[in-house]
Amino acid sequence: MNTKLFPEIVLNWIDGAEKGATDGALFNNLSPASGKMLCQAVGSKQADVDRAVAAAKNAYPAWAGMTPVQRGDILMAIARNMRENAETIAAIVAAETGMAPSAALGETGGAIAQAEFMAGEGRRLYGRTTTSAVPNKYAMTVRHPLGVAGLIIAANTPIANVAWKVFPALICGNTAVLKAAEDTPATAWYFGKLAQEAGLPSGVLNILQGLGEAAGAPLVAHPDVAVVSFTGSTAVGRQIAETAGRRLAKVSLELGGKNPLVVCDDADLDNAVKWVVLSAFSNAGQRCAAGSRIIVFDAVYDQFRELLVAATQRLKVGPTDMDDLGPVINETQLTNMVAAVEQASQEGAHVLIGGSRMTTPDHADGFYMAPTVIENADPRSGISTQEVFGPITCLYRVSDFDAALQMANDSPYGLTACIHSRNVHRVMEFTQKVQAGVAVVNAGTYGSEPHMPFGGVKQSGNGSREPGTEALDIYSNLKDIYICVEPDLI
Ligand code: NAD
């Protein structure tokens, strides 16, 4: 099946032109909703990475030499082109991920907001002026680009992930090579097309299709790549940090999560259930911020469990706007999820609902995991400590606030966290003491807004923050400038 939204063979964008792999390699991209072929994409390797990095390096002096306002104007033209073609972007996102068209349109809106915010940075890109200890001396900082940025992204929210990396990298004056996620090649390809149409100079943004080891790893190792920004799993992030660290390249890592949501005995339980369902199951649980550890006070545990299982039972699974969640991205991920649940069951956990691949006629050909709620999992077991990246969440019973906070923090990850309570003292204590990059009260474990910094602590990242103006710190270097005035010459 090809929807005609994109070509049957999705090519790379290198130096403003579409290019196949130097060795002609291709890989298949399947629809998660139907299991059928959507398109093929270029299987880039070292030689293609070399071509893309060379193009970016060649384009760098002219792009870095423009004023930030000029760059911002071009990036704003791309944002406008995205807005004019938002329905097409969303249709491609929906085809490649299986998410509902309305959800894909929502994600596209977020990507455009990100684009507009960063394009506007062209008129700010602030440095700092400050005082000096020395008379007649003036001190200030300015931002300088780094060179070629290597950008590597996951498939879960494909157009948002593209915007999240590309706009801050380019506004700062870097040129870039983006390695698209292998499950969503057409989304990245279409973005490249929109950028060309909007007037982005050739070579400023190069987009490579390909698999992680073959195309991503050579980009990370390339000596001409000055900064690597990665969104993906903690395991791959660790490899990237090691490789880039050897040549002291700058690295930003936005990694996984095992996000806790605490339901206190004074919570509005209906509101808590609503948000737990959204946190755990929206985008089929394929969110770094997904709520996967639901920590509930003993006093309301039984009542909450009953409400949550009933709400999960009501969820509709499928790729349309009538559905609450869609398929997971590919069959390998689905197989891993089923295996994780089976392992948890063997270790004594109890599956309250779901737990398996959906095999009803509407679902059998796609990659559908039934929304799953588990209880009695050992907090130290695999299902409690490792990210599953699917519609699977675990319930834990705790006696009180201290036990809840301790369990929330007892994780290798620290990306987002949430508490449901009406007690201002509890929520303030939680937001201060929870080990996470984002803390939320009375809503869900959700990501940030385009103008806010997002990122995690512990194994959820390396301390960098994207997006927000904080992303500018990743893609630019600060230079101190001191100007000394000679009063006798005035
Ligand atoms: P993944 O780490 O397997 O792949 C992510 C990207 O890295 C892909 O483009 C892949 O091709 C590439 N890659 C794989 N191996 C590589 C290597 N050796 N060298 C260079 N690149 C390589 O992750 P995934 O399963 O595709 O995505 C899900 C993960 O992404 C989850 O852990 C999720 O939490 C995380 N994520 C994090 C954020 C965040 O902002 N913190 C946002 C979205 C997703």
Side-chain angles (χ1 to χ4, degrees), residues 306-353:
E306 196 178 316
L307 290 169
L308 178 62
V309 170
T312 307
Q313 185 85 56
R314 288 193 294 272
L315 291 174
K316 293 197 183 70
V317 182
T320 75
D321 283 340
M322 304 301 288
D323 298 305
D324 298 293
L325 65 146
V328 299
I329 195 73
N330 61 43
E331 191 148 27
T332 306
Q333 294 274 24
L334 176 58
T335 306
N336 291 343
M337 280 166 214
V338 173
V341 175
E342 278 169 8
Q343 175 78 25
S345 296
Q346 280 164 19
E347 290 169 3
H350 178 218
V351 177
L352 290 166
I353 183 167

mmCIF file of all heavy atoms in Angstrom, residues 306-353:
data_model
loop_
_atom_site.group_PDB
_atom_site.id
_atom_site.type_symbol
_atom_site.label_atom_id
_atom_site.label_comp_id
_atom_site.label_asym_id
_atom_site.label_seq_id
_atom_site.Cartn_x
_atom_site.Cartn_y
_atom_site.Cartn_z
ATOM 1 N N GLU A 306 -10.424 -0.535 40.883
ATOM 2 C CA GLU A 306 -11.694 -0.874 40.225
ATOM 3 C C GLU A 306 -12.037 0.156 39.141
ATOM 4 O O GLU A 306 -12.406 -0.187 38.016
ATOM 5 C CB GLU A 306 -12.794 -0.915 41.291
ATOM 6 C CG GLU A 306 -14.045 -1.620 40.835
ATOM 7 C CD GLU A 306 -15.078 -1.665 41.962
ATOM 8 O OE1 GLU A 306 -14.698 -1.965 43.118
ATOM 9 O OE2 GLU A 306 -16.240 -1.370 41.684
ATOM 10 N N LEU A 307 -11.874 1.428 39.495
ATOM 11 C CA LEU A 307 -12.173 2.507 38.530
ATOM 12 C C LEU A 307 -11.227 2.445 37.325
ATOM 13 O O LEU A 307 -11.642 2.623 36.175
ATOM 14 C CB LEU A 307 -12.040 3.877 39.207
ATOM 15 C CG LEU A 307 -13.098 4.238 40.249
ATOM 16 C CD1 LEU A 307 -12.676 5.495 41.013
ATOM 17 C CD2 LEU A 307 -14.455 4.437 39.581
ATOM 18 N N LEU A 308 -9.942 2.175 37.594
ATOM 19 C CA LEU A 308 -8.958 2.157 36.500
ATOM 20 C C LEU A 308 -9.207 0.980 35.555
ATOM 21 O O LEU A 308 -9.158 1.141 34.329
ATOM 22 C CB LEU A 308 -7.531 2.087 37.076
ATOM 23 C CG LEU A 308 -6.419 2.015 36.025
ATOM 24 C CD1 LEU A 308 -6.398 3.264 35.142
ATOM 25 C CD2 LEU A 308 -5.047 1.832 36.688
ATOM 26 N N VAL A 309 -9.488 -0.177 36.111
ATOM 27 C CA VAL A 309 -9.728 -1.344 35.248
ATOM 28 C C VAL A 309 -10.981 -1.100 34.400
ATOM 29 O O VAL A 309 -10.991 -1.390 33.196
ATOM 30 C CB VAL A 309 -9.839 -2.638 36.088
ATOM 31 C CG1 VAL A 309 -10.329 -3.804 35.226
ATOM 32 C CG2 VAL A 309 -8.488 -2.972 36.713
ATOM 33 N N ALA A 310 -12.005 -0.505 35.014
ATOM 34 C CA ALA A 310 -13.238 -0.227 34.252
ATOM 35 C C ALA A 310 -12.960 0.773 33.132
ATOM 36 O O ALA A 310 -13.437 0.605 31.998
ATOM 37 C CB ALA A 310 -14.312 0.308 35.198
ATOM 38 N N ALA A 311 -12.166 1.806 33.423
ATOM 39 C CA ALA A 311 -11.847 2.815 32.393
ATOM 40 C C ALA A 311 -10.993 2.193 31.289
ATOM 41 O O ALA A 311 -11.156 2.518 30.105
ATOM 42 C CB ALA A 311 -11.112 3.993 33.028
ATOM 43 N N THR A 312 -10.089 1.306 31.654
ATOM 44 C CA THR A 312 -9.233 0.637 30.653
ATOM 45 C C THR A 312 -10.087 -0.265 29.764
ATOM 46 O O THR A 312 -9.882 -0.339 28.548
ATOM 47 C CB THR A 312 -8.117 -0.162 31.361
ATOM 48 O OG1 THR A 312 -7.424 0.713 32.256
ATOM 49 C CG2 THR A 312 -7.137 -0.754 30.362
ATOM 50 N N GLN A 313 -11.031 -0.932 30.396
ATOM 51 C CA GLN A 313 -11.953 -1.813 29.657
ATOM 52 C C GLN A 313 -12.703 -1.046 28.568
ATOM 53 O O GLN A 313 -12.983 -1.575 27.496
ATOM 54 C CB GLN A 313 -12.962 -2.385 30.666
ATOM 55 C CG GLN A 313 -13.923 -3.425 30.110
ATOM 56 C CD GLN A 313 -13.298 -4.807 30.137
ATOM 57 O OE1 GLN A 313 -12.883 -5.264 31.182
ATOM 58 N NE2 GLN A 313 -13.202 -5.435 28.980
ATOM 59 N N ARG A 314 -12.999 0.225 28.845
ATOM 60 C CA ARG A 314 -13.798 1.028 27.900
ATOM 61 C C ARG A 314 -12.973 1.555 26.713
ATOM 62 O O ARG A 314 -13.526 2.078 25.759
ATOM 63 C CB ARG A 314 -14.433 2.224 28.625
ATOM 64 C CG ARG A 314 -15.572 1.868 29.571
ATOM 65 C CD ARG A 314 -16.352 3.114 29.986
ATOM 66 N NE ARG A 314 -15.565 4.019 30.788
ATOM 67 C CZ ARG A 314 -15.442 3.968 32.117
ATOM 68 N NH1 ARG A 314 -16.094 3.039 32.797
ATOM 69 N NH2 ARG A 314 -14.714 4.839 32.775
ATOM 70 N N LEU A 315 -11.658 1.454 26.789
ATOM 71 C CA LEU A 315 -10.821 2.056 25.740
ATOM 72 C C LEU A 315 -11.034 1.351 24.404
ATOM 73 O O LEU A 315 -11.130 0.122 24.340
ATOM 74 C CB LEU A 315 -9.337 1.963 26.122
ATOM 75 C CG LEU A 315 -8.896 2.824 27.300
ATOM 76 C CD1 LEU A 315 -7.446 2.521 27.665
ATOM 77 C CD2 LEU A 315 -9.068 4.312 26.985
ATOM 78 N N LYS A 316 -11.064 2.163 23.350
ATOM 79 C CA LYS A 316 -11.176 1.601 22.000
ATOM 80 C C LYS A 316 -9.795 1.649 21.354
ATOM 81 O O LYS A 316 -9.119 2.686 21.386
ATOM 82 C CB LYS A 316 -12.168 2.413 21.171
ATOM 83 C CG LYS A 316 -13.594 2.322 21.657
ATOM 84 C CD LYS A 316 -14.532 2.807 20.554
ATOM 85 C CE LYS A 316 -15.969 2.821 20.999
ATOM 86 N NZ LYS A 316 -16.222 3.873 22.004
ATOM 87 N N VAL A 317 -9.401 0.551 20.750
ATOM 88 C CA VAL A 317 -8.060 0.451 20.180
ATOM 89 C C VAL A 317 -8.162 0.350 18.665
ATOM 90 O O VAL A 317 -8.837 -0.544 18.139
ATOM 91 C CB VAL A 317 -7.318 -0.776 20.753
ATOM 92 C CG1 VAL A 317 -5.895 -0.834 20.193
ATOM 93 C CG2 VAL A 317 -7.294 -0.739 22.274
ATOM 94 N N GLY A 318 -7.509 1.270 17.977
ATOM 95 C CA GLY A 318 -7.542 1.262 16.515
ATOM 96 C C GLY A 318 -6.953 2.554 15.980
ATOM 97 O O GLY A 318 -6.585 3.446 16.756
ATOM 98 N N PRO A 319 -6.880 2.704 14.655
ATOM 99 C CA PRO A 319 -6.179 3.849 14.067
ATOM 100 C C PRO A 319 -7.076 5.036 13.714
ATOM 101 O O PRO A 319 -6.623 5.928 13.004
ATOM 102 C CB PRO A 319 -5.585 3.239 12.797
ATOM 103 C CG PRO A 319 -6.596 2.218 12.385
ATOM 104 C CD PRO A 319 -7.250 1.697 13.645
ATOM 105 N N THR A 320 -8.333 5.063 14.177
ATOM 106 C CA THR A 320 -9.240 6.136 13.745
ATOM 107 C C THR A 320 -9.469 7.149 14.868
ATOM 108 O O THR A 320 -9.091 6.916 16.016
ATOM 109 C CB THR A 320 -10.616 5.565 13.340
ATOM 110 O OG1 THR A 320 -11.320 5.209 14.536
ATOM 111 C CG2 THR A 320 -10.487 4.347 12.448
ATOM 112 N N ASP A 321 -10.149 8.241 14.504
ATOM 113 C CA ASP A 321 -10.467 9.258 15.507
ATOM 114 C C ASP A 321 -11.499 8.766 16.528
ATOM 115 O O ASP A 321 -11.726 9.425 17.535
ATOM 116 C CB ASP A 321 -10.976 10.529 14.816
ATOM 117 C CG ASP A 321 -9.829 11.317 14.201
ATOM 118 O OD1 ASP A 321 -8.674 11.101 14.629
ATOM 119 O OD2 ASP A 321 -10.085 12.122 13.291
ATOM 120 N N MET A 322 -12.132 7.645 16.263
ATOM 121 C CA MET A 322 -13.073 7.071 17.224
ATOM 122 C C MET A 322 -12.338 6.252 18.295
ATOM 123 O O MET A 322 -12.933 5.812 19.267
ATOM 124 C CB MET A 322 -14.079 6.138 16.516
ATOM 125 C CG MET A 322 -14.852 6.788 15.384
ATOM 126 S SD MET A 322 -15.786 8.189 15.970
ATOM 127 C CE MET A 322 -17.044 7.315 16.895
ATOM 128 N N ASP A 323 -11.031 6.036 18.086
ATOM 129 C CA ASP A 323 -10.269 5.172 18.995
ATOM 130 C C ASP A 323 -9.467 5.997 19.999
ATOM 131 O O ASP A 323 -9.147 7.152 19.756
ATOM 132 C CB ASP A 323 -9.316 4.281 18.178
ATOM 133 C CG ASP A 323 -10.077 3.377 17.235
ATOM 134 O OD1 ASP A 323 -10.963 2.642 17.719
ATOM 135 O OD2 ASP A 323 -9.813 3.424 16.017
ATOM 136 N N ASP A 324 -9.131 5.341 21.119
ATOM 137 C CA ASP A 324 -8.362 6.021 22.168
ATOM 138 C C ASP A 324 -6.865 5.812 22.009
ATOM 139 O O ASP A 324 -6.072 6.626 22.472
ATOM 140 C CB ASP A 324 -8.801 5.503 23.538
ATOM 141 C CG ASP A 324 -10.268 5.810 23.795
ATOM 142 O OD1 ASP A 324 -10.598 6.999 23.917
ATOM 143 O OD2 ASP A 324 -11.082 4.861 23.844
ATOM 144 N N LEU A 325 -6.470 4.691 21.447
ATOM 145 C CA LEU A 325 -5.047 4.461 21.202
ATOM 146 C C LEU A 325 -4.891 3.543 20.006
ATOM 147 O O LEU A 325 -5.800 2.776 19.678
ATOM 148 C CB LEU A 325 -4.332 3.864 22.420
ATOM 149 C CG LEU A 325 -4.728 2.463 22.877
ATOM 150 C CD1 LEU A 325 -3.519 1.732 23.423
ATOM 151 C CD2 LEU A 325 -5.794 2.559 23.976
ATOM 152 N N GLY A 326 -3.730 3.653 19.365
ATOM 153 C CA GLY A 326 -3.477 2.876 18.159
ATOM 154 C C GLY A 326 -2.499 1.746 18.396
ATOM 155 O O GLY A 326 -2.281 1.319 19.539
ATOM 156 N N PRO A 327 -1.867 1.273 17.317
ATOM 157 C CA PRO A 327 -0.900 0.187 17.432
ATOM 158 C C PRO A 327 0.431 0.686 17.975
ATOM 159 O O PRO A 327 0.643 1.897 18.101
ATOM 160 C CB PRO A 327 -0.738 -0.271 15.976
ATOM 161 C CG PRO A 327 -1.013 0.965 15.177
ATOM 162 C CD PRO A 327 -2.052 1.741 15.931
ATOM 163 N N VAL A 328 1.322 -0.243 18.270
ATOM 164 C CA VAL A 328 2.700 0.147 18.572
ATOM 165 C C VAL A 328 3.501 0.113 17.272
ATOM 166 O O VAL A 328 3.054 -0.414 16.265
ATOM 167 C CB VAL A 328 3.333 -0.736 19.676
ATOM 168 C CG1 VAL A 328 2.539 -0.592 20.959
ATOM 169 C CG2 VAL A 328 3.446 -2.187 19.251
ATOM 170 N N ILE A 329 4.694 0.676 17.302
ATOM 171 C CA ILE A 329 5.352 1.080 16.052
ATOM 172 C C ILE A 329 5.791 -0.077 15.163
ATOM 173 O O ILE A 329 5.764 0.042 13.943
ATOM 174 C CB ILE A 329 6.532 2.042 16.348
ATOM 175 C CG1 ILE A 329 6.985 2.766 15.088
ATOM 176 C CG2 ILE A 329 7.678 1.327 17.025
ATOM 177 C CD1 ILE A 329 6.040 3.832 14.609
ATOM 178 N N ASN A 330 6.189 -1.194 15.752
ATOM 179 C CA ASN A 330 6.603 -2.325 14.898
ATOM 180 C C ASN A 330 6.441 -3.643 15.645
ATOM 181 O O ASN A 330 6.206 -3.672 16.861
ATOM 182 C CB ASN A 330 8.031 -2.135 14.355
ATOM 183 C CG ASN A 330 9.065 -2.045 15.474
ATOM 184 O OD1 ASN A 330 9.021 -2.814 16.435
ATOM 185 N ND2 ASN A 330 9.981 -1.106 15.352
ATOM 186 N N GLU A 331 6.607 -4.738 14.897
ATOM 187 C CA GLU A 331 6.325 -6.054 15.473
ATOM 188 C C GLU A 331 7.372 -6.453 16.519
ATOM 189 O O GLU A 331 7.052 -7.115 17.505
ATOM 190 C CB GLU A 331 6.274 -7.098 14.346
ATOM 191 C CG GLU A 331 5.723 -8.426 14.812
ATOM 192 C CD GLU A 331 4.973 -9.152 13.710
ATOM 193 O OE1 GLU A 331 5.302 -8.921 12.527
ATOM 194 O OE2 GLU A 331 4.067 -9.937 14.043
ATOM 195 N N THR A 332 8.603 -6.017 16.329
ATOM 196 C CA THR A 332 9.650 -6.358 17.308
ATOM 197 C C THR A 332 9.326 -5.752 18.664
ATOM 198 O O THR A 332 9.426 -6.411 19.705
ATOM 199 C CB THR A 332 11.019 -5.825 16.812
ATOM 200 O OG1 THR A 332 11.222 -6.328 15.504
ATOM 201 C CG2 THR A 332 12.146 -6.244 17.710
ATOM 202 N N GLN A 333 8.912 -4.477 18.646
ATOM 203 C CA GLN A 333 8.551 -3.815 19.915
ATOM 204 C C GLN A 333 7.387 -4.552 20.566
ATOM 205 O O GLN A 333 7.368 -4.751 21.783
ATOM 206 C CB GLN A 333 8.156 -2.354 19.660
ATOM 207 C CG GLN A 333 9.278 -1.481 19.156
ATOM 208 C CD GLN A 333 10.115 -0.902 20.283
ATOM 209 O OE1 GLN A 333 10.154 -1.460 21.367
ATOM 210 N NE2 GLN A 333 10.789 0.192 20.030
ATOM 211 N N LEU A 334 6.401 -4.943 19.754
ATOM 212 C CA LEU A 334 5.231 -5.647 20.281
ATOM 213 C C LEU A 334 5.646 -6.964 20.932
ATOM 214 O O LEU A 334 5.218 -7.287 22.050
ATOM 215 C CB LEU A 334 4.237 -5.877 19.135
ATOM 216 C CG LEU A 334 2.980 -6.675 19.452
ATOM 217 C CD1 LEU A 334 2.179 -6.031 20.575
ATOM 218 C CD2 LEU A 334 2.097 -6.781 18.206
ATOM 219 N N THR A 335 6.501 -7.715 20.256
ATOM 220 C CA THR A 335 6.972 -8.999 20.790
ATOM 221 C C THR A 335 7.695 -8.787 22.118
ATOM 222 O O THR A 335 7.511 -9.548 23.074
ATOM 223 C CB THR A 335 7.924 -9.659 19.757
ATOM 224 O OG1 THR A 335 7.225 -9.727 18.517
ATOM 225 C CG2 THR A 335 8.336 -11.044 20.179
ATOM 226 N N ASN A 336 8.513 -7.731 22.188
ATOM 227 C CA ASN A 336 9.236 -7.444 23.434
ATOM 228 C C ASN A 336 8.281 -7.106 24.577
ATOM 229 O O ASN A 336 8.490 -7.493 25.723
ATOM 230 C CB ASN A 336 10.214 -6.277 23.233
ATOM 231 C CG ASN A 336 11.368 -6.655 22.333
ATOM 232 O OD1 ASN A 336 11.625 -7.835 22.104
ATOM 233 N ND2 ASN A 336 12.062 -5.652 21.803
ATOM 234 N N MET A 337 7.210 -6.372 24.240
ATOM 235 C CA MET A 337 6.225 -5.998 25.280
ATOM 236 C C MET A 337 5.523 -7.230 25.833
ATOM 237 O O MET A 337 5.359 -7.382 27.046
ATOM 238 C CB MET A 337 5.145 -5.103 24.668
ATOM 239 C CG MET A 337 5.557 -3.689 24.521
ATOM 240 S SD MET A 337 4.409 -2.825 23.444
ATOM 241 C CE MET A 337 5.558 -1.718 22.672
ATOM 242 N N VAL A 338 5.084 -8.099 24.928
ATOM 243 C CA VAL A 338 4.385 -9.320 25.363
ATOM 244 C C VAL A 338 5.322 -10.151 26.246
ATOM 245 O O VAL A 338 4.924 -10.666 27.299
ATOM 246 C CB VAL A 338 3.883 -10.125 24.140
ATOM 247 C CG1 VAL A 338 3.316 -11.463 24.561
ATOM 248 C CG2 VAL A 338 2.838 -9.316 23.366
ATOM 249 N N ALA A 339 6.589 -10.235 25.832
ATOM 250 C CA ALA A 339 7.566 -11.014 26.613
ATOM 251 C C ALA A 339 7.774 -10.393 28.000
ATOM 252 O O ALA A 339 7.896 -11.117 28.997
ATOM 253 C CB ALA A 339 8.893 -11.082 25.860
ATOM 254 N N ALA A 340 7.787 -9.061 28.067
ATOM 255 C CA ALA A 340 7.983 -8.391 29.366
ATOM 256 C C ALA A 340 6.821 -8.695 30.313
ATOM 257 O O ALA A 340 7.020 -8.914 31.514
ATOM 258 C CB ALA A 340 8.131 -6.883 29.165
ATOM 259 N N VAL A 341 5.602 -8.728 29.769
ATOM 260 C CA VAL A 341 4.433 -9.029 30.610
ATOM 261 C C VAL A 341 4.472 -10.500 31.055
ATOM 262 O O VAL A 341 4.210 -10.818 32.228
ATOM 263 C CB VAL A 341 3.119 -8.727 29.853
ATOM 264 C CG1 VAL A 341 1.909 -9.145 30.673
ATOM 265 C CG2 VAL A 341 3.029 -7.247 29.506
ATOM 266 N N GLU A 342 4.848 -11.387 30.138
ATOM 267 C CA GLU A 342 4.924 -12.814 30.504
ATOM 268 C C GLU A 342 5.964 -13.031 31.599
ATOM 269 O O GLU A 342 5.740 -13.764 32.557
ATOM 270 C CB GLU A 342 5.272 -13.663 29.272
ATOM 271 C CG GLU A 342 4.032 -13.961 28.436
ATOM 272 C CD GLU A 342 4.361 -14.559 27.071
ATOM 273 O OE1 GLU A 342 5.539 -14.880 26.818
ATOM 274 O OE2 GLU A 342 3.412 -14.671 26.268
ATOM 275 N N GLN A 343 7.085 -12.371 31.445
ATOM 276 C CA GLN A 343 8.152 -12.480 32.460
ATOM 277 C C GLN A 343 7.646 -11.982 33.815
ATOM 278 O O GLN A 343 7.870 -12.627 34.844
ATOM 279 C CB GLN A 343 9.348 -11.635 31.988
ATOM 280 C CG GLN A 343 10.500 -11.522 32.958
ATOM 281 C CD GLN A 343 11.366 -12.776 32.944
ATOM 282 O OE1 GLN A 343 11.409 -13.498 31.958
ATOM 283 N NE2 GLN A 343 12.023 -13.033 34.062
ATOM 284 N N ALA A 344 6.942 -10.861 33.804
ATOM 285 C CA ALA A 344 6.413 -10.309 35.061
ATOM 286 C C ALA A 344 5.436 -11.300 35.697
ATOM 287 O O ALA A 344 5.451 -11.514 36.919
ATOM 288 C CB ALA A 344 5.731 -8.965 34.790
ATOM 289 N N SER A 345 4.589 -11.913 34.868
ATOM 290 C CA SER A 345 3.620 -12.890 35.397
ATOM 291 C C SER A 345 4.344 -14.058 36.037
ATOM 292 O O SER A 345 3.977 -14.512 37.123
ATOM 293 C CB SER A 345 2.727 -13.429 34.273
ATOM 294 O OG SER A 345 1.967 -12.399 33.744
ATOM 295 N N GLN A 346 5.385 -14.541 35.358
ATOM 296 C CA GLN A 346 6.133 -15.677 35.916
ATOM 297 C C GLN A 346 6.780 -15.311 37.244
ATOM 298 O O GLN A 346 6.989 -16.157 38.102
ATOM 299 C CB GLN A 346 7.220 -16.123 34.941
ATOM 300 C CG GLN A 346 6.669 -16.988 33.814
ATOM 301 C CD GLN A 346 7.649 -17.099 32.650
ATOM 302 O OE1 GLN A 346 8.845 -16.839 32.804
ATOM 303 N NE2 GLN A 346 7.136 -17.470 31.490
ATOM 304 N N GLU A 347 7.079 -14.013 37.417
ATOM 305 C CA GLU A 347 7.726 -13.574 38.665
ATOM 306 C C GLU A 347 6.707 -13.194 39.734
ATOM 307 O O GLU A 347 7.070 -12.627 40.764
ATOM 308 C CB GLU A 347 8.643 -12.383 38.361
ATOM 309 C CG GLU A 347 9.865 -12.781 37.554
ATOM 310 C CD GLU A 347 10.654 -11.584 37.007
ATOM 311 O OE1 GLU A 347 10.278 -10.427 37.303
ATOM 312 O OE2 GLU A 347 11.617 -11.813 36.276
ATOM 313 N N GLY A 348 5.424 -13.446 39.473
ATOM 314 C CA GLY A 348 4.417 -13.258 40.523
ATOM 315 C C GLY A 348 3.505 -12.068 40.355
ATOM 316 O O GLY A 348 2.589 -11.866 41.156
ATOM 317 N N ALA A 349 3.712 -11.256 39.312
ATOM 318 C CA ALA A 349 2.807 -10.123 39.089
ATOM 319 C C ALA A 349 1.472 -10.631 38.550
ATOM 320 O O ALA A 349 1.392 -11.726 37.985
ATOM 321 C CB ALA A 349 3.433 -9.144 38.108
ATOM 322 N N HIS A 350 0.439 -9.820 38.725
ATOM 323 C CA HIS A 350 -0.906 -10.225 38.317
ATOM 324 C C HIS A 350 -1.416 -9.262 37.241
ATOM 325 O O HIS A 350 -1.463 -8.049 37.463
ATOM 326 C CB HIS A 350 -1.820 -10.227 39.543
ATOM 327 C CG HIS A 350 -3.230 -10.576 39.220
ATOM 328 N ND1 HIS A 350 -4.309 -9.974 39.836
ATOM 329 C CD2 HIS A 350 -3.745 -11.447 38.335
ATOM 330 C CE1 HIS A 350 -5.423 -10.458 39.318
ATOM 331 N NE2 HIS A 350 -5.113 -11.366 38.416
ATOM 332 N N VAL A 351 -1.777 -9.804 36.075
ATOM 333 C CA VAL A 351 -2.305 -8.967 34.994
ATOM 334 C C VAL A 351 -3.802 -8.763 35.251
ATOM 335 O O VAL A 351 -4.586 -9.711 35.209
ATOM 336 C CB VAL A 351 -2.075 -9.629 33.620
ATOM 337 C CG1 VAL A 351 -2.689 -8.778 32.523
ATOM 338 C CG2 VAL A 351 -0.586 -9.837 33.374
ATOM 339 N N LEU A 352 -4.184 -7.511 35.525
ATOM 340 C CA LEU A 352 -5.597 -7.210 35.819
ATOM 341 C C LEU A 352 -6.422 -7.130 34.544
ATOM 342 O O LEU A 352 -7.594 -7.480 34.520
ATOM 343 C CB LEU A 352 -5.695 -5.868 36.563
ATOM 344 C CG LEU A 352 -5.174 -5.853 37.998
ATOM 345 C CD1 LEU A 352 -5.022 -4.433 38.489
ATOM 346 C CD2 LEU A 352 -6.104 -6.643 38.904
ATOM 347 N N ILE A 353 -5.810 -6.627 33.477
ATOM 348 C CA ILE A 353 -6.515 -6.492 32.189
ATOM 349 C C ILE A 353 -5.455 -6.390 31.091
ATOM 350 O O ILE A 353 -4.367 -5.851 31.315
ATOM 351 C CB ILE A 353 -7.456 -5.260 32.201
ATOM 352 C CG1 ILE A 353 -8.249 -5.171 30.896
ATOM 353 C CG2 ILE A 353 -6.710 -3.966 32.466
ATOM 354 C CD1 ILE A 353 -9.403 -4.177 30.968
#
